[in-house]
Amino acid sequence: MSLASRFKLVFFSPRTDTKRILEHLFRACAKELGNIGEYEHCAFVTPGTGQFKPKDTANPVIGARGQLEFVDEDRVEIVVNGSGGGHEEVRKAIKELKNVHPYEEVAYDVYKLEDF
């Protein structure tokens, strides 16, 4: 049984920022992110529309407090490779994502992957 763990990090970004975010993540987390076999910088990007309504205490980058906003966004999926439990690599990737992402609150999901 292998000690390596794999996760999938999924996040949403304004379409105009996706390339910049991915470049930063692949530079900052080169060993952990986007490596599948003999390929690197692997990601799957799907366009869509995000919606949100900033509360009165929010500091929105896009939109205005109290108003429903619709934004052209990308759903980005990236494999996170880790050793042991892999949680440190996932934490590092999320920290870098939050550092580079323009939104005040970054929407993301983490899924544990299994080998079959």
Short mmCIF file of all heavy atoms in Angstrom, two decimals, residues 3 8 18 27 31 45 47-48 51 55 75 84 87 99-100 107:
data_model
loop_
_atom_site.label_atom_id
_atom_site.label_comp_id
_atom_site.label_asym_id
_atom_site.label_seq_id
_atom_site.Cartn_x
_atom_site.Cartn_y
_atom_site.Cartn_z
N LEU A 3 2.05 5.16 0.54
CA LEU A 3 1.84 6.20 1.55
C LEU A 3 1.38 7.51 0.95
O LEU A 3 1.02 8.42 1.66
CB LEU A 3 3.14 6.42 2.34
CG LEU A 3 3.59 5.25 3.20
CD1 LEU A 3 4.91 5.59 3.88
CD2 LEU A 3 2.55 4.91 4.24
N LYS A 8 -8.38 16.36 -4.63
CA LYS A 8 -8.72 17.30 -5.70
C LYS A 8 -9.17 18.59 -5.04
O LYS A 8 -10.08 18.59 -4.21
CB LYS A 8 -9.80 16.77 -6.62
CG LYS A 8 -10.08 17.74 -7.77
CD LYS A 8 -10.94 17.13 -8.84
CE LYS A 8 -10.10 16.17 -9.66
NZ LYS A 8 -10.84 15.66 -10.82
N THR A 18 -8.29 33.74 -13.56
CA THR A 18 -7.97 32.31 -13.49
C THR A 18 -6.53 32.02 -13.91
O THR A 18 -5.81 31.31 -13.20
CB THR A 18 -8.95 31.49 -14.34
OG1 THR A 18 -10.28 31.71 -13.87
CG2 THR A 18 -8.63 30.01 -14.27
N ARG A 27 3.56 27.76 -9.49
CA ARG A 27 4.90 28.21 -9.11
C ARG A 27 5.13 27.96 -7.61
O ARG A 27 6.17 27.44 -7.21
CB ARG A 27 5.06 29.69 -9.44
CG ARG A 27 6.44 30.26 -9.24
CD ARG A 27 6.59 31.69 -9.73
NE ARG A 27 5.55 32.60 -9.23
CZ ARG A 27 4.54 33.07 -9.97
NH1 ARG A 27 4.41 32.75 -11.23
NH2 ARG A 27 3.65 33.89 -9.44
N LYS A 31 5.52 20.99 -6.49
CA LYS A 31 5.57 19.56 -6.17
C LYS A 31 4.19 18.99 -5.84
O LYS A 31 3.93 17.82 -6.06
CB LYS A 31 6.51 19.31 -4.99
CG LYS A 31 7.96 19.53 -5.29
CD LYS A 31 8.79 19.22 -4.07
CE LYS A 31 10.27 19.49 -4.33
NZ LYS A 31 11.07 19.23 -3.14
N VAL A 45 -10.63 23.41 -16.34
CA VAL A 45 -11.29 24.70 -16.14
C VAL A 45 -12.61 24.70 -16.90
O VAL A 45 -12.63 24.46 -18.11
CB VAL A 45 -10.38 25.85 -16.63
CG1 VAL A 45 -11.06 27.19 -16.41
CG2 VAL A 45 -9.03 25.81 -15.94
N PRO A 47 -16.10 27.03 -17.61
CA PRO A 47 -16.73 28.34 -17.43
C PRO A 47 -18.15 28.21 -16.88
O PRO A 47 -18.84 27.22 -17.11
CB PRO A 47 -16.75 28.94 -18.83
CG PRO A 47 -16.74 27.75 -19.75
CD PRO A 47 -15.98 26.67 -19.03
N GLY A 48 -18.57 29.22 -16.15
CA GLY A 48 -19.92 29.24 -15.60
C GLY A 48 -20.25 30.63 -15.08
O GLY A 48 -19.49 31.58 -15.28
N GLN A 51 -22.97 33.51 -8.56
CA GLN A 51 -23.84 34.56 -8.01
C GLN A 51 -23.58 34.69 -6.52
O GLN A 51 -23.22 33.72 -5.85
CB GLN A 51 -25.31 34.29 -8.27
CG GLN A 51 -25.97 33.32 -7.32
CD GLN A 51 -27.48 33.36 -7.43
OE1 GLN A 51 -28.03 33.39 -8.52
NE2 GLN A 51 -28.15 33.33 -6.29
N LYS A 55 -23.17 40.79 2.15
CA LYS A 55 -23.87 41.29 3.33
C LYS A 55 -23.39 42.70 3.65
O LYS A 55 -22.39 43.18 3.09
CB LYS A 55 -23.62 40.37 4.52
CG LYS A 55 -24.21 38.98 4.34
CD LYS A 55 -23.92 38.14 5.57
CE LYS A 55 -24.49 36.75 5.44
NZ LYS A 55 -24.21 35.93 6.63
N ARG A 75 -14.72 27.33 -12.86
CA ARG A 75 -14.56 26.27 -11.87
C ARG A 75 -13.24 25.61 -12.23
O ARG A 75 -13.06 25.14 -13.37
CB ARG A 75 -15.70 25.26 -11.95
CG ARG A 75 -15.49 24.04 -11.05
CD ARG A 75 -16.55 22.98 -11.33
NE ARG A 75 -16.21 21.73 -10.69
CZ ARG A 75 -16.81 21.26 -9.60
NH1 ARG A 75 -17.79 21.94 -9.03
NH2 ARG A 75 -16.44 20.10 -9.07
N GLY A 84 2.15 10.72 3.04
CA GLY A 84 1.44 10.40 4.27
C GLY A 84 -0.03 10.70 4.12
O GLY A 84 -0.67 10.29 3.18
N HIS A 87 -2.47 16.08 4.21
CA HIS A 87 -3.18 17.27 4.67
C HIS A 87 -2.31 18.53 4.64
O HIS A 87 -2.81 19.62 4.40
CB HIS A 87 -3.76 17.03 6.07
CG HIS A 87 -4.82 15.98 6.05
ND1 HIS A 87 -4.66 14.78 6.69
CD2 HIS A 87 -6.03 15.94 5.46
CE1 HIS A 87 -5.75 14.03 6.50
NE2 HIS A 87 -6.59 14.71 5.76
N ASN A 99 -4.06 33.58 -0.70
CA ASN A 99 -3.12 34.71 -0.86
C ASN A 99 -3.25 35.38 -2.21
O ASN A 99 -3.07 36.59 -2.33
CB ASN A 99 -1.68 34.24 -0.65
CG ASN A 99 -1.34 34.00 0.79
OD1 ASN A 99 -2.00 34.49 1.69
ND2 ASN A 99 -0.31 33.21 1.02
N VAL A 100 -3.54 34.61 -3.26
CA VAL A 100 -3.53 35.14 -4.62
C VAL A 100 -4.92 35.48 -5.14
O VAL A 100 -5.07 36.28 -6.05
CB VAL A 100 -2.81 34.16 -5.58
CG1 VAL A 100 -3.62 32.90 -5.81
CG2 VAL A 100 -2.43 34.83 -6.88
N ALA A 107 -14.35 30.57 -2.44
CA ALA A 107 -15.16 29.35 -2.44
C ALA A 107 -14.30 28.20 -2.98
O ALA A 107 -13.77 28.28 -4.08
CB ALA A 107 -16.40 29.53 -3.31
#
